[in-house]
């Protein structure tokens, strides 16, 4: 029951952030950062991060569709928040936010002991950013008035 409530709060905040509400985006990010420590009652059990990296491991990590979809959404949410910037800045800031949040998630999983800290899990996060950038580019091409 609690998990459904938490998910509902994140969905509502995401929708509001997509509508340009900066406070909703900020709240989404803060709650996202607090999620891992709160999920273990702020009792930390650090474990080392797995930094092994090879093409087969990256390919396997790319099957983590949850990471992939969540980071597409996060990229697009961030791009809405910085849309007044130049196009290049919008893409770079959004990609940097995805990378920063991906690194945080992996470190938080290792620090709290509630997940597996793996360097290779940044691959689906950044693949999500790439797909988000492609979707944003397609959207901007569709919305651009033809002359």
């Amino acid at each position: 029951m609690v998990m459904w409530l938490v998910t509902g709060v994140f969905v509502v905040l995401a929708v509001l952030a997509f509508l340009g509400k900066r406070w909703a985006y900020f709240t989404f990010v803060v709650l996202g950062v607090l999620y891992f420590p709160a999920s273990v009652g702020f009792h930390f059990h650090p474990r080392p991060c797995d930094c092994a990296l090879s093409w087969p491991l990256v390919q396997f990590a790319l099957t983590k569709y949850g990471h992939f979809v969540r980071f597409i959404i996060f990229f697009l949410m961030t791009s809405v928040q910085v849309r007044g910037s130049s196009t290049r800045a919008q893409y770079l800031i959004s990609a940097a936010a995805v990378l920063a949040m991906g690194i945080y998630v992996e470190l938080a999983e290792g620090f709290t002991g509630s997940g597996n800290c793996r360097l290779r899990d940044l691959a689906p996060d950044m693949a999500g950013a790439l797909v988000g950038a492609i979707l944003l580019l397609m959207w901007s091409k569709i919305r651009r008035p033809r002359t």
Side-chain angles (χ1 to χ4, degrees):
M1 178 66 177
V2 172
M3 197 58 187
W4 283 105
L5 180 62
V6 170
T7 302
V9 168
F10 276 106
V11 168
V12 168
L13 289 170
V15 168
L16 291 171
F18 271 113
L19 295 174
K21 305 296 183 196
R22 195 154 302 209
W23 65 266
Y25 178 79
F26 177 75
T27 304
F28 183 96
V29 171
V30 169
L31 290 178
V33 166
L34 291 174
Y35 174 79
F36 284 100
S39 69
V40 294
F42 295 92
H43 297 276
F44 303 112
H45 305 286
R47 294 190 308 214
C49 286
D50 178 3
C51 293
L53 204 55
S54 68
W55 182 243
L57 290 174
V58 169
Q59 284 180 307
F60 178 72
L62 288 171
T63 65
K64 293 189 171 195
Y65 303 114
H67 277 251
F68 184 69
V69 170
R70 283 191 286 272
F71 281 98
I72 291 172
I73 292 168
F74 187 65
F75 179 93
L76 294 172
M77 276 177 35
T78 303
S79 69
V80 167
Q81 297 301 313
V82 295
R83 76 178 142 207
S85 309
S86 71
T87 303
R88 180 178 293 177
Q90 184 180 18
Y91 285 88
L92 289 175
I93 291 169
S94 300
V98 165
L99 181 60
M101 185 61 83
I103 290 169
Y104 170 76
V105 166
E106 294 309 315
L107 292 175
E109 285 179 340
F111 195 71
T112 61
S114 67
N116 297 306
C117 176
R118 294 184 179 127
L119 179 62
R120 65 181 171 256
D121 286 347
L122 293 177
D125 303 349
M126 294 314 294
L130 179 62
V131 170
I134 291 168
L135 291 172
L136 183 60
L137 181 64
M138 289 173 27
W139 179 252
S140 66
K141 295 288 183 191
I142 290 169
R143 292 192 37 110
R144 185 173 299 151
R146 297 186 184 198
T147 56

